[in-house]
Amino acid sequence: MRMTQKLNHGWIFAEGAADPAAPLSGTSVTLPHNAVDLPLSYFNETCYQHAFTYQRVIAWDDAWHGRRVQLRFDGAMADNVVWVNGVQVVAHPDGYTPFVADLTDHLRPGDNLVTVRIDGSENPAIPPFGAQIDYLTYAGIYRDVWLMVLPERHLTNARITTPDALSDAKTVVIRPEVTAPGPVRARLLDGDREIAATEGEGELTLAGLTGLLLWSPENPQLYTVELTLPDSGDVTTHRFGFRTAEWTPQGFLLNGQPMKLRGLNRHQSWAHQAMPRAVTRRSAMPRLSAMIWAATSCAPRITRRASGSWTAATRSASWFSRRSPAGSISATPPGRTAAWTMSAP
């Protein structure tokens, strides 16, 4: 069984690239956090284009014997390096994708020093740099951090596809990603109701599924795949929907039917620090009855604090359509494939 908990409190923050093996002298902060607050006018973006350091102590727990201990960073901008007790465990040169730091092999009884260096410099080798962009990229650990304690053999991800989503008898293809070979049990669920189940190694297929609904803006039906490793007890769940999305010379088709899409980049102003997941989702909820917003985090957003300065949260690409007073959306940006999943860490 895995254990997952937020690790947003107890961090120390300082400007510059500090010694990762030494205790950091700085300011106590809570994540998500932006490295620099900018004034509302006459600011210079080079203020955040350098290195910053975050540090935290993690106390050893005897219950961790024989398990993998990891930190998952949901988002940090931009060139990230993580050390534990002065030993580098991961480098992640990106600001928009989650990453995992495996601490296991370098933990010791007592206190353990975790140091994270981020760098907001414009590096042409790291997207979106290297081309012209029209937004600020800021710097900071601007998403949640999670402590994960996992069995040695555990699930890391899963890909779920629906190759015949429009058929009456549907198929679900599941490709689990596991740290070591062995059996995986898969259950297809509608709420608590089990629709089908299978067990095996490698790619798993559930076929001949009838009575299942398509995902649509009017009826955004989602199902759940529950994956279990029988030997270690690790369990993950993955939500997905049956639908097709296609670009044609005649326009965009959702489930084979035309749908008009209108899109924009949403630079949201928000009177708080870099925002946690729940607040980010709430900010993307409907503002008008004729629209429902669906957002994917893809860049730091400009936000504003009550003190009169700009901070970094996220900039989201939001896609919506106007079809009726009730409103409707495409739940993923245009161009995505017919299958999609959402997974919690």
Side-chain angles (χ1 to χ4, degrees):
M1 186 69 68
R2 63 174 57 201
M3 183 278 289
T4 303
Q5 68 180 58
K6 282 186 181 179
L7 205 69
N8 287 345
H9 299 281
W11 292 87
I12 302 297
F13 168 78
E15 291 201 26
D19 180 357
L24 183 66
S25 178
T27 304
S28 178
V29 299
T30 298
L31 307 181
H33 177 259
N34 60 288
V36 176
D37 290 352
L38 298 177
L40 293 175
S41 60
Y42 300 107
F43 61 82
N44 187 338
E45 63 268 22
T46 61
C47 292
Y48 58 79
Q49 292 179 357
H50 57 271
F52 302 88
T53 302
Y54 294 82
Q55 195 175 83
R56 193 191 195 282
V57 171
I58 297 179
W60 171 260
D61 188 329
D62 288 340
W64 297 350
H65 278 295
R67 300 170 71 80
R68 308 303 298 182
V69 181
Q70 301 177 348
L71 292 182
R72 173 189 163 103
F73 295 80
D74 282 351
M77 180 61 70
D79 193 356
N80 311 287
V81 184
V82 181
W83 293 265
V84 57
N85 296 323
V87 179
Q88 181 177 322
V89 293
V90 70
H92 184 71
D94 184 34
Y96 303 129
T97 55
F99 66 97
V100 171
D102 195 319
L103 314 182
T104 311
D105 297 337
H106 306 287
L107 293 175
R108 60 197 180 201
D111 288 342
N112 294 271
L113 194 64
V114 175
T115 305
V116 183
R117 188 203 69 201
I118 58 122
D119 194 329
S121 303
E122 292 196 8
N123 184 342
I126 302 176
F129 309 123
Q132 186 174 0
I133 58 176
D134 66 345
Y135 50 87
L136 303 176
T137 53
Y138 301 101
I141 302 178
Y142 67 93
R143 282 289 181 268
D144 295 325
V145 174
W146 304 83
L147 175 67
M148 304 190 300
V149 182
L150 309 168
E152 190 69 35
R153 180 173 179 260
H154 59 270
L155 293 147
T156 60
N157 210 339
R159 174 177 170 80
I160 299 172
T161 58
T162 55
D164 51 6
L166 301 185
S167 300
D168 292 336
K170 304 185 190 307
T171 302
V172 176
V173 179
I174 308 159
R175 299 176 186 173
E177 296 180 13
V178 191
T179 55
V184 179
R185 183 181 303 125
R187 300 171 67 215
L188 177 61
L189 304 173
D190 181 6
D192 294 330
R193 180 176 68 91
E194 180 178 291
I195 300 169
T198 188
E199 183 173 330
E201 297 190 30
E203 185 175 280
L204 306 174
T205 300
L206 299 169
L209 306 171
T210 58
L212 303 183
L213 302 176
L214 291 174
W215 182 96
S216 70
E218 296 77 15
N219 182 33
Q221 174 70 40
L222 295 177
Y223 297 92
T224 300
V225 165
E226 179 190 86
L227 299 177
T228 304
L229 303 186
D231 52 352
S232 69
D234 193 33
V235 179
T236 61
T237 57
H238 310 264
R239 299 176 73 203
F240 75 102
F242 293 91
R243 63 105 172 94
T244 63
E246 183 181 7
W247 289 104
T248 73
Q250 291 73 42
F252 176 72
L253 303 180
L254 177 67
N255 297 332
Q257 300 299 316
M259 171 179 282
K260 290 186 177 181
L261 298 174
R262 299 177 183 178
L264 57 87
N265 287 321
R266 180 169 56 87
H267 295 255
Q268 174 78 13
S269 294
W270 196 262
H272 296 282
Q273 294 276 1
M275 294 184 292
R277 175 184 300 183
V279 178
T280 302
R281 287 180 174 175
R282 284 200 302 271
S283 75
M285 294 298 288
R287 295 295 186 269
L288 299 172
S289 63
M291 301 178 187
I292 301 176
W293 294 77
T296 55
S297 298
C298 63
R301 177 193 306 141
I302 299 172
T303 65
R304 186 172 64 188
R305 288 172 49 180
S307 60
S309 57
W310 295 103
T311 75
T314 65
R315 171 176 175 263
S316 297
S318 300
W319 303 91
F320 64 89
S321 67
R322 183 192 294 264
R323 296 185 59 186
S324 69
S328 62
I329 58 138
S330 168
T332 53
R336 291 286 178 90
T337 58
W340 52 282
T341 66
M342 298 186 296
S343 303

